[in-house]
Amino acid sequence: MCQVLNLNENRKRRSSEYIDVQNGFDYLRKLTRFALSGYRFQVHVNGQSRHGYMLALIAAILGRLAGQPVALSWRGGLQQKYFPRQEGWVYWAFKLLFRLAGQISCNNEAVKHAIEQYGVAAERVAVIPGFSKQNLAFQPRRLLEK
């Protein structure tokens, strides 16, 4: 089963489509409950927001403590406010997040290479391009039969 936590501005409106998160304490409480119930978290983060980083870090710590490392999806390019860095506290902050994560996905090879510069093994990072209408133009191919 998949549950979605709504952290954005429309979270005040309750819906059966997601679980609303009202504040930081509520986020921590709900994540802890899901972690103890055996859920594996999938978190999205980029190098533009300290707030987003902290939310992802909290999920990554709880996931590790529960024995379920997060699946981290990293989006954005190489021209982000806090990423990539080769030194300083921001470097160490992202190194920690990447180390706590299980599988990491990103949207292109250049970003994958930048993530690997934080000491992440290449096999832990999967390149998954974002959706684009350009991906709708393709040549169908038959799969090999077993």
Side-chain angles (χ1 to χ4, degrees), residues 90-127:
V90 174
Y91 169 83
W92 292 103
F94 281 114
K95 186 173 180 84
L96 173 63
L97 180 61
F98 294 143
R99 182 169 298 262
L100 289 170
Q103 185 70 34
I104 302 168
S105 68
C106 63
N107 50 346
N108 64 51
E109 287 291 334
V111 173
K112 177 182 179 176
H113 180 70
I115 291 170
E116 291 169 354
Q117 299 306 303
Y118 288 81
V120 178
E123 59 271 7
R124 288 186 48 223
V125 185
V127 175

Side-chain angles (χ1 to χ4, degrees), residues 16-121:
S16 61
E17 296 177 4
Y18 55 80
I19 295 170
D20 59 283
V21 175
Q22 299 303 313
N23 53 47
F25 178 74
D26 192 36
Y27 178 72
L28 183 60
R29 183 177 62 82
K30 287 176 178 170
L31 277 186
T32 301
R33 186 180 81 219
F34 283 119
L36 294 174
S37 297
Y39 279 77
R40 181 171 186 216
F41 302 137
Q42 190 277 322
V43 295
H44 172 78
V45 70
N46 62 39
Q48 287 293 108
S49 165
R50 289 184 192 186
H51 185 252
Y53 170 84
M54 291 305 298
L55 293 171
L57 182 63
I58 291 166
I61 290 169
L62 287 173
R64 273 290 173 184
L65 290 174
Q68 297 285 344
V70 300
L72 182 71
S73 66
W74 184 272
R75 295 295 176 258
L78 296 176
Q79 302 299 320
Q80 297 183 53
K81 188 173 183 178
Y82 301 110
F83 177 87
R85 296 288 172 92
Q86 299 301 317
E87 57 190 38
W89 70 269
V90 174
Y91 169 83
W92 292 103
F94 281 114
K95 186 173 180 84
L96 173 63
L97 180 61
F98 294 143
R99 182 169 298 262
L100 289 170
Q103 185 70 34
I104 302 168
S105 68
C106 63
N107 50 346
N108 64 51
E109 287 291 334
V111 173
K112 177 182 179 176
H113 180 70
I115 291 170
E116 291 169 354
Q117 299 306 303
Y118 288 81
V120 178

